[in-house]
Amino acid sequence: YYDRSHLTVRWNESLGAVVMQWHEFAEGDEYREGLDAGLELVKQKGATKWLADLRDMGTVAEADQEWSNENWFPRALSTGLSYMAIVQPKSVVADMSVENIMQEVGDGALTTRYFDDRDEAETWLGEQTALV
């Protein structure tokens, strides 16, 4: 669906989930365009599940953290997105930037689990069913 050097976004039919695979650091327009592409796919598919593989993502710039919290997440939560599995970045600093973003999302708005292993993340996500 979206394929650039820094990010691939695709639909996983068997999981019923949007899958975001980061390949390298991105900021500004590249970062935001990628997240927005994933959100468009959520809307197209009526998806309730999101898998974010952030192992190779790099640190999220402060301006992009703010944009994620103030702009992207409110739009994402309005779509019916219910479950997010996050495969954590290898970098401790990058992981802290992701935690900063996710702390702002708020409890109960999104069921989120963190994983070190992609297979475990997929298994958990596959077990989740949307509350209709």
Side-chain angles (χ1 to χ4, degrees):
Y1 180 78
Y2 179 90
D3 195 15
R4 304 285 188 281
S5 62
H6 63 286
L7 172 68
T8 302
V9 177
R10 63 184 175 78
W11 176 249
N12 182 311
E13 190 68 45
S14 61
L15 282 178
V18 170
V19 177
M20 177 172 267
Q21 169 85 46
W22 289 90
H23 307 298
E24 61 189 22
F25 172 76
E27 68 179 324
D29 289 343
E30 283 187 335
Y31 172 84
R32 297 170 191 201
E33 180 183 285
L35 279 174
D36 281 343
L39 199 52
E40 283 304 311
L41 191 53
V42 165
K43 292 175 186 173
Q44 280 183 24
K45 299 290 188 178
T48 59
K49 302 177 192 179
W50 182 286
L51 173 63
D53 188 335
L54 311 180
R55 289 175 291 183
D56 297 317
M57 180 173 158
T59 304
V60 180
E62 195 165 318
D64 292 328
Q65 289 180 42
E66 288 176 17
W67 176 85
S68 297
N69 288 329
E70 295 169 11
N71 183 309
W72 191 83
F73 264 108
R75 290 185 291 130
L77 295 173
S78 73
T79 66
L81 195 60
S82 303
Y83 302 99
M84 186 173 281
I86 297 175
V87 184
Q88 295 177 289
K90 294 175 195 167
S91 155
V92 172
V93 176
D95 192 40
M96 288 170 56
S97 67
V98 170
E99 285 181 20
N100 287 342
I101 293 169
M102 295 309 295
Q103 283 176 351
E104 297 294 321
V105 175
D107 291 334
L110 190 62
T111 302
T112 307
R113 289 276 307 270
Y114 298 88
F115 300 89
D116 293 321
D117 181 86
R118 167 104 177 227
D119 290 337
E120 289 175 16
E122 289 183 3
T123 298
W124 176 80
L125 204 56
E127 292 168 351
Q128 306 312 304
T129 54
L131 302 171
V132 180

